[in-house]
Amino acid sequence: VHTLGQSYQVEFGDTLMVPDIYVEPTAVGFGEVPLNTPSSTENVTVSNIGSANLTIGNITINDGQFTIPFPSGNISGRELAPNESANITLIFAPSSLGSQSANLTIPSNDADEDPVIVSLSGNGTMVAPDADLAITKSGNPNPVYIGDNLTYTISVTNYGPDDSSNVTVTDT
């Protein structure tokens, strides 16, 4: 038997020992994530359901907005014994607005499933600033008498947490 760069000699009655990769899920959606903000983590589980050790190659993602936190989420170079599993941890931090997609490529020594491709998707969104404005108006002098000048002071305070800009106050 010869399979994609790997040779096995099998005698009649022998059992062929081969690795067999199983990946779940094969598509990961991160939903809407604010621009330049990391998402919550998502996991892809890689399992060896074969009868020989599975060697994971160098895992890659073809878009830098989707990342594997190093070193905890990266299983590149790892060897999984039969019936062993490991998680790949993923984060989406969009730097562009709108729908984003990428491929997570998981190479291995599995002869008939090399590499496994996992589809990644997410939507980069704009978040409106969160300003908490308060307006107060006071007059001076207080009390005012007929014939006195009255000066009004209008104060605007931002209790945050975000900055506010282009604020217009109209007193009618």
Side-chain angles (χ1 to χ4, degrees):
V1 176
H2 183 73
T3 56
L4 297 176
Q6 300 203 19
S7 296
Y8 303 94
Q9 183 168 347
V10 180
E11 301 290 330
F12 182 71
D14 284 351
T15 302
L16 182 61
M17 306 292 279
V18 294
D20 190 7
I21 192 169
Y22 178 77
V23 177
E24 185 66 31
T26 56
V28 177
F30 287 88
E32 294 192 353
V33 177
L35 214 55
N36 300 313
T37 303
S39 67
S40 58
T41 59
E42 296 287 340
N43 286 321
V44 171
T45 302
V46 177
S47 301
N48 180 6
I49 59 172
S51 53
N53 287 347
L54 175 72
T55 302
I56 305 300
N58 186 34
I59 297 170
T60 59
I61 302 175
N62 65 346
D63 184 328
Q65 297 177 102
F66 299 87
T67 58
I68 301 171
F70 187 81
S72 62
N74 195 337
I75 64 169
S76 291
R78 187 148 167 212
E79 189 168 88
L80 299 179
N83 299 314
E84 186 179 3
S85 297
N87 285 330
I88 300 169
T89 303
L90 301 164
I91 294 174
F92 173 51
S95 58
S96 299
L97 289 174
S99 181
Q100 309 297 321
S101 62
N103 288 327
L104 169 70
T105 302
I106 309 168
S108 72
N109 65 334
D110 182 320
D112 66 344
E113 295 177 278
D114 181 31
V116 173
I117 306 292
V118 176
S119 300
L120 307 177
S121 64
N123 191 28
T125 60
M126 231 7 195
V127 175
D130 187 13
D132 183 8
L133 301 178
I135 298 176
T136 58
K137 179 179 177 181
S138 60
N140 193 18
N142 189 6
V144 65
Y145 298 103
I146 297 175
D148 287 349
N149 288 328
L150 176 62
T151 303
Y152 286 106
T153 302
I154 297 176
S155 299
V156 179
T157 305
N158 182 2
Y159 292 105
D162 294 329
D163 291 340
S164 181
S165 60
N166 299 320
V167 175
T168 303
V169 176
T170 304
D171 184 28
T172 55

